[in-house]
Structure formats: structure tokens, C-alpha cells
Amino acid sequence: MNKTAALGLSALVLLGCTSAPLGQAVAAPVPALQAVPKIDLTRYQGRWYQIAYYPNTFQKQCVSGTTADYQNMSNGQVIVTNTCTKSDGSPSQVVGLARLQQPRLLGIALAPGVPQKLEVRFAPSWLSWVPGVWAPYWVIQLADDYRYAVVGEPSRKYLWILSRTPTLAAGDRAQITGMLQQQGYDPAKLQEEPQPQAVPAAAP
């Protein structure tokens, strides 16, 4: 094979390794999702109102008024009580547990500085040892004063925007949306959550 043919073959191989057409930029890979560096569980406990979320199967019975209440226990775990209103007006409630993941390598706790990540379980306690029962619940955005929190997980299949109040300030929502785009989420997939406790906007 002469030099010209070899160069041509090399070019074809390189083009074949890309999924984008010639002349079209290849999209940069989405970086791994990062949790916030630290969560103060004492400040995080209490009631949160669901402002918006990615629709999912385990919340399909809920039509409005979804809240999450967190209560710390002495063993370091957190009781999670999720409540919502169904289409017939009746309440739906599920109680589970949350805990901080303990990042370990070969059984040894990793050094300080590793982001704190929560995981949740809604299955019965006797199933707590089963792999996959504890699901990742990562706080990926958190206001300094804990007035809002954004929760996701590594696959980006699930997403929740939570607020301490039934409504979220427009400035906060805009900031959250901008960060979500940087974090590889599509804000257009969010479904707004009606909150009966929300105060209607004043007429102009």
C-alpha cells in the first residue's frame, strides 16, 4: 500500500469512529453528576414542598400538594414521610428512611472531602440488606439558607425541586434552571406541582 492510500484509509477509520456527520461538531460528554459537598441533616429536616419534578411511576397517583417531611433519629438515619393528594381528593402517604452514604473502598472509609450523598429506602426494614433497595438521593443544589434544594441521582432519570415554602421565587427558579442545564438535565422535562397552600399572585 502506497503512502497516499494509507493516509486515505486512516482518514476513513477516524471518520468511522465518530457518530456525527462530517463537518458537525461532536457533543461533549456529560460529566458525572456531583452532589453538594456537605449536608447539615439538622437544617435539612422538616417540611419541603415539591415545586416541580420529572414524572415517575411511583408518584403517578399524586396530582397535587406533594410534600416531604424529614425527621432525624438518634442513630443518624432520617424518617422520610412523603404525602400527596390523589385525583379523588384523598391523601396518599408513604414512609421510608434516608441515610448518608458512607463512601468506602475495600471496607475503609474514604478521606474527608468526599461529597455527602443521601440514599433512601421505602421497602420494609427486613429487605434493607438487598442490593438496590437503598436508592441514591443526591442533593445536587442547595441554597445557603436551605430555602430550596434540588435532588437527583447519577442516571439523571429522576429529579425533584423542593422548597421550604409552597412557592419558589422567580430568581431562585431561574438560578436552579441554569444550574440544571450545566448539570446535564433537561428542564423542559419538569412537571410543575400544584400546591394548594400556594398564595395566588396578585392581579396586575
Side-chain angles (χ1 to χ4, degrees):
M1 181 183 295
N2 60 39
K3 184 176 181 180
T4 302
L7 288 172
L9 180 59
S10 298
L12 287 173
V13 171
L14 285 172
L15 288 172
C17 291
T18 66
S19 57
L22 185 62
Q24 180 176 325
V26 178
V30 178
L33 189 65
Q34 298 295 317
V36 297
K38 185 175 177 59
I39 303 171
D40 184 338
L41 290 181
T42 299
R43 297 181 68 187
Y44 197 81
Q45 70 177 337
R47 171 156 294 186
W48 293 90
Y49 294 89
Q50 182 173 278
I51 301 299
Y53 67 109
Y54 274 9
N56 56 69
T57 56
F58 48 84
Q59 286 184 278
K60 62 182 180 181
Q61 79 280 9
C62 300
V63 297
S64 67
T66 301
T67 59
D69 291 276
Y70 299 87
Q71 180 183 351
N72 293 343
M73 299 193 297
S74 58
N75 63 359
Q77 294 187 342
V78 183
I79 299 174
V80 182
T81 305
N82 291 339
T83 307
C84 72
T85 301
K86 298 190 292 186
S87 59
D88 63 0
S90 63
S92 175
Q93 187 176 88
V94 61
V95 179
L97 284 177
R99 67 185 182 187
L100 283 172
Q101 279 183 262
Q102 297 299 323
R104 294 178 178 272
L105 181 62
L106 301 178
I108 301 174
L110 298 182
V114 175
Q116 292 185 327
K117 300 170 182 176
L118 287 168
E119 53 187 5
V120 294
R121 170 180 62 79
F122 288 96
S125 58
W126 59 273
L127 288 175
S128 61
W129 60 274
V130 176
V133 166
W134 289 91
Y137 177 98
W138 294 6
V139 179
I140 60 174
Q141 295 183 40
L142 184 62
D144 291 341
D145 60 359
Y146 286 62
R147 69 183 180 277
Y148 69 77
V150 181
V151 177
E153 43 73 51
S155 75
R156 296 178 173 83
K157 182 179 179 181
Y158 303 105
L159 181 67
W160 295 269
I161 297 177
L162 308 176
S163 172
R164 289 298 193 182
T165 57
T167 57
L168 190 61
D172 286 338
R173 185 62 183 267
Q175 183 173 358
I176 289 170
T177 299
M179 284 295 296
L180 285 175
Q181 292 172 328
Q182 295 178 30
Q183 292 169 315
Y185 279 95
D186 180 2
K189 294 181 179 179
L190 283 165
Q191 178 173 311
E192 301 302 309
E193 172 76 10
Q195 287 290 349
Q197 304 93 330
V199 177

PDB file of all heavy atoms in Angstrom, residues 67-104:
ATOM      1  N   THR A  67     -45.643  16.820  49.513  1.00  0.00           N
ATOM      2  CA  THR A  67     -44.681  17.318  50.494  1.00  0.00           C
ATOM      3  C   THR A  67     -43.812  16.167  50.972  1.00  0.00           C
ATOM      4  O   THR A  67     -44.180  15.000  50.867  1.00  0.00           O
ATOM      5  CB  THR A  67     -45.379  17.949  51.713  1.00  0.00           C
ATOM      6  OG1 THR A  67     -46.225  16.967  52.331  1.00  0.00           O
ATOM      7  CG2 THR A  67     -46.201  19.163  51.323  1.00  0.00           C
ATOM      8  N   ALA A  68     -42.643  16.525  51.509  1.00  0.00           N
ATOM      9  CA  ALA A  68     -41.735  15.548  52.110  1.00  0.00           C
ATOM     10  C   ALA A  68     -41.318  16.077  53.468  1.00  0.00           C
ATOM     11  O   ALA A  68     -40.870  17.226  53.576  1.00  0.00           O
ATOM     12  CB  ALA A  68     -40.516  15.327  51.222  1.00  0.00           C
ATOM     13  N   ASP A  69     -41.510  15.257  54.492  1.00  0.00           N
ATOM     14  CA  ASP A  69     -41.119  15.630  55.854  1.00  0.00           C
ATOM     15  C   ASP A  69     -39.973  14.742  56.310  1.00  0.00           C
ATOM     16  O   ASP A  69     -40.061  13.505  56.214  1.00  0.00           O
ATOM     17  CB  ASP A  69     -42.308  15.488  56.803  1.00  0.00           C
ATOM     18  CG  ASP A  69     -43.383  16.525  56.539  1.00  0.00           C
ATOM     19  OD1 ASP A  69     -43.254  17.642  57.056  1.00  0.00           O
ATOM     20  OD2 ASP A  69     -44.356  16.211  55.807  1.00  0.00           O
ATOM     21  N   TYR A  70     -38.920  15.374  56.828  1.00  0.00           N
ATOM     22  CA  TYR A  70     -37.729  14.648  57.274  1.00  0.00           C
ATOM     23  C   TYR A  70     -37.558  14.837  58.779  1.00  0.00           C
ATOM     24  O   TYR A  70     -37.609  15.962  59.278  1.00  0.00           O
ATOM     25  CB  TYR A  70     -36.492  15.159  56.543  1.00  0.00           C
ATOM     26  CG  TYR A  70     -36.575  14.974  55.043  1.00  0.00           C
ATOM     27  CD1 TYR A  70     -37.175  15.940  54.237  1.00  0.00           C
ATOM     28  CD2 TYR A  70     -36.079  13.829  54.434  1.00  0.00           C
ATOM     29  CE1 TYR A  70     -37.276  15.767  52.870  1.00  0.00           C
ATOM     30  CE2 TYR A  70     -36.163  13.650  53.070  1.00  0.00           C
ATOM     31  CZ  TYR A  70     -36.769  14.618  52.291  1.00  0.00           C
ATOM     32  OH  TYR A  70     -36.879  14.449  50.933  1.00  0.00           O
ATOM     33  N   GLN A  71     -37.369  13.735  59.477  1.00  0.00           N
ATOM     34  CA  GLN A  71     -37.194  13.781  60.926  1.00  0.00           C
ATOM     35  C   GLN A  71     -35.977  12.954  61.309  1.00  0.00           C
ATOM     36  O   GLN A  71     -35.920  11.739  61.066  1.00  0.00           O
ATOM     37  CB  GLN A  71     -38.440  13.229  61.637  1.00  0.00           C
ATOM     38  CG  GLN A  71     -38.341  13.238  63.154  1.00  0.00           C
ATOM     39  CD  GLN A  71     -39.559  12.626  63.812  1.00  0.00           C
ATOM     40  OE1 GLN A  71     -40.553  12.333  63.147  1.00  0.00           O
ATOM     41  NE2 GLN A  71     -39.498  12.411  65.119  1.00  0.00           N
ATOM     42  N   ASN A  72     -34.981  13.612  61.917  1.00  0.00           N
ATOM     43  CA  ASN A  72     -33.750  12.925  62.296  1.00  0.00           C
ATOM     44  C   ASN A  72     -33.982  11.982  63.473  1.00  0.00           C
ATOM     45  O   ASN A  72     -34.763  12.267  64.388  1.00  0.00           O
ATOM     46  CB  ASN A  72     -32.669  13.936  62.670  1.00  0.00           C
ATOM     47  CG  ASN A  72     -32.212  14.759  61.480  1.00  0.00           C
ATOM     48  OD1 ASN A  72     -32.447  14.396  60.326  1.00  0.00           O
ATOM     49  ND2 ASN A  72     -31.558  15.878  61.752  1.00  0.00           N
ATOM     50  N   MET A  73     -33.273  10.849  63.433  1.00  0.00           N
ATOM     51  CA  MET A  73     -33.303   9.898  64.537  1.00  0.00           C
ATOM     52  C   MET A  73     -31.934   9.849  65.206  1.00  0.00           C
ATOM     53  O   MET A  73     -30.926  10.300  64.648  1.00  0.00           O
ATOM     54  CB  MET A  73     -33.708   8.513  64.030  1.00  0.00           C
ATOM     55  CG  MET A  73     -35.084   8.464  63.401  1.00  0.00           C
ATOM     56  SD  MET A  73     -35.662   6.751  63.175  1.00  0.00           S
ATOM     57  CE  MET A  73     -34.442   6.125  62.035  1.00  0.00           C
ATOM     58  N   SER A  74     -31.908   9.281  66.409  1.00  0.00           N
ATOM     59  CA  SER A  74     -30.669   9.263  67.177  1.00  0.00           C
ATOM     60  C   SER A  74     -29.590   8.391  66.531  1.00  0.00           C
ATOM     61  O   SER A  74     -28.400   8.560  66.816  1.00  0.00           O
ATOM     62  CB  SER A  74     -30.942   8.754  68.602  1.00  0.00           C
ATOM     63  OG  SER A  74     -31.522   7.456  68.572  1.00  0.00           O
ATOM     64  N   ASN A  75     -29.978   7.453  65.668  1.00  0.00           N
ATOM     65  CA  ASN A  75     -28.983   6.582  65.032  1.00  0.00           C
ATOM     66  C   ASN A  75     -28.396   7.182  63.760  1.00  0.00           C
ATOM     67  O   ASN A  75     -27.645   6.520  63.043  1.00  0.00           O
ATOM     68  CB  ASN A  75     -29.596   5.210  64.719  1.00  0.00           C
ATOM     69  CG  ASN A  75     -30.740   5.288  63.718  1.00  0.00           C
ATOM     70  OD1 ASN A  75     -31.102   6.372  63.250  1.00  0.00           O
ATOM     71  ND2 ASN A  75     -31.313   4.153  63.392  1.00  0.00           N
ATOM     72  N   GLY A  76     -28.742   8.441  63.470  1.00  0.00           N
ATOM     73  CA  GLY A  76     -28.188   9.105  62.304  1.00  0.00           C
ATOM     74  C   GLY A  76     -29.034   8.965  61.056  1.00  0.00           C
ATOM     75  O   GLY A  76     -28.768   9.645  60.060  1.00  0.00           O
ATOM     76  N   GLN A  77     -30.030   8.094  61.091  1.00  0.00           N
ATOM     77  CA  GLN A  77     -30.916   7.958  59.953  1.00  0.00           C
ATOM     78  C   GLN A  77     -32.057   8.983  60.046  1.00  0.00           C
ATOM     79  O   GLN A  77     -32.240   9.631  61.074  1.00  0.00           O
ATOM     80  CB  GLN A  77     -31.465   6.535  59.866  1.00  0.00           C
ATOM     81  CG  GLN A  77     -30.390   5.499  59.571  1.00  0.00           C
ATOM     82  CD  GLN A  77     -30.968   4.118  59.316  1.00  0.00           C
ATOM     83  OE1 GLN A  77     -32.118   3.823  59.658  1.00  0.00           O
ATOM     84  NE2 GLN A  77     -30.171   3.234  58.725  1.00  0.00           N
ATOM     85  N   VAL A  78     -32.790   9.116  58.949  1.00  0.00           N
ATOM     86  CA  VAL A  78     -33.836  10.132  58.859  1.00  0.00           C
ATOM     87  C   VAL A  78     -35.141   9.471  58.419  1.00  0.00           C
ATOM     88  O   VAL A  78     -35.158   8.727  57.427  1.00  0.00           O
ATOM     89  CB  VAL A  78     -33.450  11.235  57.844  1.00  0.00           C
ATOM     90  CG1 VAL A  78     -34.516  12.322  57.804  1.00  0.00           C
ATOM     91  CG2 VAL A  78     -32.087  11.823  58.175  1.00  0.00           C
ATOM     92  N   ILE A  79     -36.223   9.725  59.160  1.00  0.00           N
ATOM     93  CA  ILE A  79     -37.543   9.246  58.743  1.00  0.00           C
ATOM     94  C   ILE A  79     -38.055  10.176  57.637  1.00  0.00           C
ATOM     95  O   ILE A  79     -38.059  11.394  57.794  1.00  0.00           O
ATOM     96  CB  ILE A  79     -38.539   9.236  59.915  1.00  0.00           C
ATOM     97  CG1 ILE A  79     -38.055   8.293  61.025  1.00  0.00           C
ATOM     98  CG2 ILE A  79     -39.927   8.812  59.441  1.00  0.00           C
ATOM     99  CD1 ILE A  79     -38.916   8.341  62.281  1.00  0.00           C
ATOM    100  N   VAL A  80     -38.464   9.597  56.522  1.00  0.00           N
ATOM    101  CA  VAL A  80     -38.971  10.357  55.381  1.00  0.00           C
ATOM    102  C   VAL A  80     -40.454  10.045  55.210  1.00  0.00           C
ATOM    103  O   VAL A  80     -40.835   8.886  55.028  1.00  0.00           O
ATOM    104  CB  VAL A  80     -38.215   9.999  54.087  1.00  0.00           C
ATOM    105  CG1 VAL A  80     -38.731  10.839  52.930  1.00  0.00           C
ATOM    106  CG2 VAL A  80     -36.720  10.184  54.266  1.00  0.00           C
ATOM    107  N   THR A  81     -41.293  11.061  55.269  1.00  0.00           N
ATOM    108  CA  THR A  81     -42.729  10.890  55.080  1.00  0.00           C
ATOM    109  C   THR A  81     -43.171  11.714  53.878  1.00  0.00           C
ATOM    110  O   THR A  81     -43.153  12.945  53.914  1.00  0.00           O
ATOM    111  CB  THR A  81     -43.518  11.333  56.329  1.00  0.00           C
ATOM    112  OG1 THR A  81     -43.029  10.621  57.473  1.00  0.00           O
ATOM    113  CG2 THR A  81     -45.005  11.042  56.150  1.00  0.00           C
ATOM    114  N   ASN A  82     -43.523  11.017  52.804  1.00  0.00           N
ATOM    115  CA  ASN A  82     -43.987  11.687  51.581  1.00  0.00           C
ATOM    116  C   ASN A  82     -45.512  11.638  51.535  1.00  0.00           C
ATOM    117  O   ASN A  82     -46.112  10.574  51.672  1.00  0.00           O
ATOM    118  CB  ASN A  82     -43.414  11.012  50.338  1.00  0.00           C
ATOM    119  CG  ASN A  82     -41.917  11.233  50.198  1.00  0.00           C
ATOM    120  OD1 ASN A  82     -41.366  12.171  50.770  1.00  0.00           O
ATOM    121  ND2 ASN A  82     -41.252  10.388  49.438  1.00  0.00           N
ATOM    122  N   THR A  83     -46.131  12.785  51.332  1.00  0.00           N
ATOM    123  CA  THR A  83     -47.589  12.892  51.310  1.00  0.00           C
ATOM    124  C   THR A  83     -48.029  13.659  50.071  1.00  0.00           C
ATOM    125  O   THR A  83     -47.349  14.592  49.638  1.00  0.00           O
ATOM    126  CB  THR A  83     -48.086  13.635  52.565  1.00  0.00           C
ATOM    127  OG1 THR A  83     -47.546  13.004  53.745  1.00  0.00           O
ATOM    128  CG2 THR A  83     -49.608  13.609  52.655  1.00  0.00           C
ATOM    129  N   CYS A  84     -49.165  13.248  49.503  1.00  0.00           N
ATOM    130  CA  CYS A  84     -49.716  13.977  48.360  1.00  0.00           C
ATOM    131  C   CYS A  84     -51.221  13.777  48.327  1.00  0.00           C
ATOM    132  O   CYS A  84     -51.790  13.007  49.113  1.00  0.00           O
ATOM    133  CB  CYS A  84     -49.087  13.504  47.049  1.00  0.00           C
ATOM    134  SG  CYS A  84     -49.613  11.853  46.535  1.00  0.00           S
ATOM    135  N   THR A  85     -51.871  14.467  47.407  1.00  0.00           N
ATOM    136  CA  THR A  85     -53.313  14.335  47.210  1.00  0.00           C
ATOM    137  C   THR A  85     -53.578  13.616  45.889  1.00  0.00           C
ATOM    138  O   THR A  85     -52.986  13.952  44.862  1.00  0.00           O
ATOM    139  CB  THR A  85     -53.987  15.718  47.181  1.00  0.00           C
ATOM    140  OG1 THR A  85     -53.725  16.383  48.421  1.00  0.00           O
ATOM    141  CG2 THR A  85     -55.486  15.591  46.981  1.00  0.00           C
ATOM    142  N   LYS A  86     -54.462  12.611  45.925  1.00  0.00           N
ATOM    143  CA  LYS A  86     -54.810  11.849  44.730  1.00  0.00           C
ATOM    144  C   LYS A  86     -55.960  12.532  43.992  1.00  0.00           C
ATOM    145  O   LYS A  86     -56.553  13.491  44.474  1.00  0.00           O
ATOM    146  CB  LYS A  86     -55.195  10.418  45.126  1.00  0.00           C
ATOM    147  CG  LYS A  86     -54.048   9.663  45.799  1.00  0.00           C
ATOM    148  CD  LYS A  86     -54.352   8.183  45.966  1.00  0.00           C
ATOM    149  CE  LYS A  86     -55.457   7.925  46.974  1.00  0.00           C
ATOM    150  NZ  LYS A  86     -55.645   6.472  47.228  1.00  0.00           N
ATOM    151  N   SER A  87     -56.282  12.017  42.814  1.00  0.00           N
ATOM    152  CA  SER A  87     -57.292  12.651  41.963  1.00  0.00           C
ATOM    153  C   SER A  87     -58.675  12.669  42.603  1.00  0.00           C
ATOM    154  O   SER A  87     -59.491  13.539  42.308  1.00  0.00           O
ATOM    155  CB  SER A  87     -57.354  11.938  40.608  1.00  0.00           C
ATOM    156  OG  SER A  87     -57.668  10.563  40.774  1.00  0.00           O
ATOM    157  N   ASP A  88     -58.960  11.718  43.503  1.00  0.00           N
ATOM    158  CA  ASP A  88     -60.269  11.694  44.171  1.00  0.00           C
ATOM    159  C   ASP A  88     -60.289  12.563  45.424  1.00  0.00           C
ATOM    160  O   ASP A  88     -61.270  12.574  46.167  1.00  0.00           O
ATOM    161  CB  ASP A  88     -60.675  10.261  44.505  1.00  0.00           C
ATOM    162  CG  ASP A  88     -59.720   9.582  45.483  1.00  0.00           C
ATOM    163  OD1 ASP A  88     -58.737  10.224  45.917  1.00  0.00           O
ATOM    164  OD2 ASP A  88     -59.940   8.387  45.798  1.00  0.00           O
ATOM    165  N   GLY A  89     -59.192  13.278  45.678  1.00  0.00           N
ATOM    166  CA  GLY A  89     -59.123  14.159  46.838  1.00  0.00           C
ATOM    167  C   GLY A  89     -58.605  13.512  48.097  1.00  0.00           C
ATOM    168  O   GLY A  89     -58.392  14.195  49.108  1.00  0.00           O
ATOM    169  N   SER A  90     -58.386  12.215  48.085  1.00  0.00           N
ATOM    170  CA  SER A  90     -57.894  11.519  49.268  1.00  0.00           C
ATOM    171  C   SER A  90     -56.374  11.622  49.351  1.00  0.00           C
ATOM    172  O   SER A  90     -55.691  11.796  48.330  1.00  0.00           O
ATOM    173  CB  SER A  90     -58.314  10.048  49.235  1.00  0.00           C
ATOM    174  OG  SER A  90     -57.731   9.383  48.133  1.00  0.00           O
ATOM    175  N   PRO A  91     -55.827  11.492  50.574  1.00  0.00           N
ATOM    176  CA  PRO A  91     -54.375  11.598  50.725  1.00  0.00           C
ATOM    177  C   PRO A  91     -53.677  10.275  50.416  1.00  0.00           C
ATOM    178  O   PRO A  91     -54.259   9.194  50.540  1.00  0.00           O
ATOM    179  CB  PRO A  91     -54.209  11.967  52.198  1.00  0.00           C
ATOM    180  CG  PRO A  91     -55.402  11.336  52.867  1.00  0.00           C
ATOM    181  CD  PRO A  91     -56.524  11.423  51.872  1.00  0.00           C
ATOM    182  N   SER A  92     -52.447  10.372  50.001  1.00  0.00           N
ATOM    183  CA  SER A  92     -51.578   9.213  49.808  1.00  0.00           C
ATOM    184  C   SER A  92     -50.301   9.478  50.582  1.00  0.00           C
ATOM    185  O   SER A  92     -49.745  10.582  50.518  1.00  0.00           O
ATOM    186  CB  SER A  92     -51.261   9.003  48.324  1.00  0.00           C
ATOM    187  OG  SER A  92     -50.320   7.951  48.147  1.00  0.00           O
ATOM    188  N   GLN A  93     -49.846   8.494  51.338  1.00  0.00           N
ATOM    189  CA  GLN A  93     -48.660   8.704  52.172  1.00  0.00           C
ATOM    190  C   GLN A  93     -47.783   7.452  52.167  1.00  0.00           C
ATOM    191  O   GLN A  93     -48.275   6.327  52.175  1.00  0.00           O
ATOM    192  CB  GLN A  93     -49.064   9.038  53.602  1.00  0.00           C
ATOM    193  CG  GLN A  93     -47.904   9.448  54.500  1.00  0.00           C
ATOM    194  CD  GLN A  93     -48.372   9.873  55.887  1.00  0.00           C
ATOM    195  OE1 GLN A  93     -48.520   9.054  56.790  1.00  0.00           O
ATOM    196  NE2 GLN A  93     -48.643  11.178  56.052  1.00  0.00           N
ATOM    197  N   VAL A  94     -46.487   7.666  52.128  1.00  0.00           N
ATOM    198  CA  VAL A  94     -45.526   6.575  52.213  1.00  0.00           C
ATOM    199  C   VAL A  94     -44.403   7.024  53.142  1.00  0.00           C
ATOM    200  O   VAL A  94     -43.997   8.186  53.128  1.00  0.00           O
ATOM    201  CB  VAL A  94     -44.982   6.191  50.812  1.00  0.00           C
ATOM    202  CG1 VAL A  94     -44.272   7.354  50.156  1.00  0.00           C
ATOM    203  CG2 VAL A  94     -44.075   4.978  50.908  1.00  0.00           C
ATOM    204  N   VAL A  95     -43.936   6.097  53.976  1.00  0.00           N
ATOM    205  CA  VAL A  95     -42.894   6.409  54.958  1.00  0.00           C
ATOM    206  C   VAL A  95     -41.672   5.547  54.679  1.00  0.00           C
ATOM    207  O   VAL A  95     -41.787   4.337  54.457  1.00  0.00           O
ATOM    208  CB  VAL A  95     -43.394   6.164  56.397  1.00  0.00           C
ATOM    209  CG1 VAL A  95     -42.290   6.478  57.407  1.00  0.00           C
ATOM    210  CG2 VAL A  95     -44.630   7.012  56.684  1.00  0.00           C
ATOM    211  N   GLY A  96     -40.517   6.162  54.674  1.00  0.00           N
ATOM    212  CA  GLY A  96     -39.278   5.439  54.441  1.00  0.00           C
ATOM    213  C   GLY A  96     -38.162   5.984  55.300  1.00  0.00           C
ATOM    214  O   GLY A  96     -38.397   6.733  56.258  1.00  0.00           O
ATOM    215  N   LEU A  97     -36.948   5.606  54.957  1.00  0.00           N
ATOM    216  CA  LEU A  97     -35.765   6.046  55.692  1.00  0.00           C
ATOM    217  C   LEU A  97     -34.739   6.616  54.728  1.00  0.00           C
ATOM    218  O   LEU A  97     -34.644   6.186  53.568  1.00  0.00           O
ATOM    219  CB  LEU A  97     -35.121   4.882  56.451  1.00  0.00           C
ATOM    220  CG  LEU A  97     -35.782   4.391  57.739  1.00  0.00           C
ATOM    221  CD1 LEU A  97     -35.015   3.192  58.284  1.00  0.00           C
ATOM    222  CD2 LEU A  97     -35.822   5.505  58.784  1.00  0.00           C
ATOM    223  N   ALA A  98     -33.992   7.580  55.209  1.00  0.00           N
ATOM    224  CA  ALA A  98     -32.855   8.119  54.462  1.00  0.00           C
ATOM    225  C   ALA A  98     -31.626   8.039  55.350  1.00  0.00           C
ATOM    226  O   ALA A  98     -31.722   8.035  56.586  1.00  0.00           O
ATOM    227  CB  ALA A  98     -33.121   9.564  54.038  1.00  0.00           C
ATOM    228  N   ARG A  99     -30.482   7.963  54.710  1.00  0.00           N
ATOM    229  CA  ARG A  99     -29.221   7.948  55.455  1.00  0.00           C
ATOM    230  C   ARG A  99     -28.125   8.476  54.542  1.00  0.00           C
ATOM    231  O   ARG A  99     -28.260   8.478  53.311  1.00  0.00           O
ATOM    232  CB  ARG A  99     -28.874   6.531  55.914  1.00  0.00           C
ATOM    233  CG  ARG A  99     -28.542   5.574  54.776  1.00  0.00           C
ATOM    234  CD  ARG A  99     -28.316   4.163  55.270  1.00  0.00           C
ATOM    235  NE  ARG A  99     -27.941   3.274  54.157  1.00  0.00           N
ATOM    236  CZ  ARG A  99     -27.805   1.949  54.271  1.00  0.00           C
ATOM    237  NH1 ARG A  99     -28.035   1.360  55.442  1.00  0.00           N
ATOM    238  NH2 ARG A  99     -27.443   1.221  53.227  1.00  0.00           N
ATOM    239  N   LEU A 100     -27.059   8.943  55.156  1.00  0.00           N
ATOM    240  CA  LEU A 100     -25.907   9.374  54.392  1.00  0.00           C
ATOM    241  C   LEU A 100     -25.161   8.145  53.904  1.00  0.00           C
ATOM    242  O   LEU A 100     -24.899   7.211  54.675  1.00  0.00           O
ATOM    243  CB  LEU A 100     -24.982  10.243  55.236  1.00  0.00           C
ATOM    244  CG  LEU A 100     -25.420  11.694  55.473  1.00  0.00           C
ATOM    245  CD1 LEU A 100     -24.507  12.352  56.492  1.00  0.00           C
ATOM    246  CD2 LEU A 100     -25.397  12.484  54.172  1.00  0.00           C
ATOM    247  N   GLN A 101     -24.833   8.134  52.610  1.00  0.00           N
ATOM    248  CA  GLN A 101     -23.986   7.067  52.111  1.00  0.00           C
ATOM    249  C   GLN A 101     -22.624   7.179  52.781  1.00  0.00           C
ATOM    250  O   GLN A 101     -22.113   8.273  52.999  1.00  0.00           O
ATOM    251  CB  GLN A 101     -23.791   7.197  50.600  1.00  0.00           C
ATOM    252  CG  GLN A 101     -24.930   6.663  49.767  1.00  0.00           C
ATOM    253  CD  GLN A 101     -24.607   6.771  48.288  1.00  0.00           C
ATOM    254  OE1 GLN A 101     -25.041   7.697  47.645  1.00  0.00           O
ATOM    255  NE2 GLN A 101     -23.843   5.838  47.775  1.00  0.00           N
ATOM    256  N   GLN A 102     -22.051   6.041  53.084  1.00  0.00           N
ATOM    257  CA  GLN A 102     -20.709   6.027  53.652  1.00  0.00           C
ATOM    258  C   GLN A 102     -19.750   5.533  52.568  1.00  0.00           C
ATOM    259  O   GLN A 102     -19.597   4.330  52.372  1.00  0.00           O
ATOM    260  CB  GLN A 102     -20.648   5.121  54.889  1.00  0.00           C
ATOM    261  CG  GLN A 102     -21.535   5.579  56.031  1.00  0.00           C
ATOM    262  CD  GLN A 102     -21.165   6.944  56.547  1.00  0.00           C
ATOM    263  OE1 GLN A 102     -19.988   7.297  56.615  1.00  0.00           O
ATOM    264  NE2 GLN A 102     -22.155   7.749  56.894  1.00  0.00           N
ATOM    265  N   PRO A 103     -19.130   6.445  51.819  1.00  0.00           N
ATOM    266  CA  PRO A 103     -18.234   6.006  50.755  1.00  0.00           C
ATOM    267  C   PRO A 103     -17.055   5.227  51.307  1.00  0.00           C
ATOM    268  O   PRO A 103     -16.335   5.711  52.175  1.00  0.00           O
ATOM    269  CB  PRO A 103     -17.785   7.303  50.091  1.00  0.00           C
ATOM    270  CG  PRO A 103     -18.203   8.396  50.987  1.00  0.00           C
ATOM    271  CD  PRO A 103     -19.191   7.887  51.971  1.00  0.00           C
ATOM    272  N   ARG A 104     -16.877   4.010  50.828  1.00  0.00           N
ATOM    273  CA  ARG A 104     -15.809   3.154  51.318  1.00  0.00           C
ATOM    274  C   ARG A 104     -15.085   2.485  50.161  1.00  0.00           C
ATOM    275  O   ARG A 104     -15.654   2.284  49.091  1.00  0.00           O
ATOM    276  CB  ARG A 104     -16.360   2.076  52.268  1.00  0.00           C
ATOM    277  CG  ARG A 104     -16.920   2.646  53.566  1.00  0.00           C
ATOM    278  CD  ARG A 104     -17.499   1.566  54.467  1.00  0.00           C
ATOM    279  NE  ARG A 104     -17.981   2.134  55.706  1.00  0.00           N
ATOM    280  CZ  ARG A 104     -17.235   2.313  56.794  1.00  0.00           C
ATOM    281  NH1 ARG A 104     -15.972   1.944  56.764  1.00  0.00           N
ATOM    282  NH2 ARG A 104     -17.730   2.845  57.886  1.00  0.00           N
TER     283      ARG A 104
END
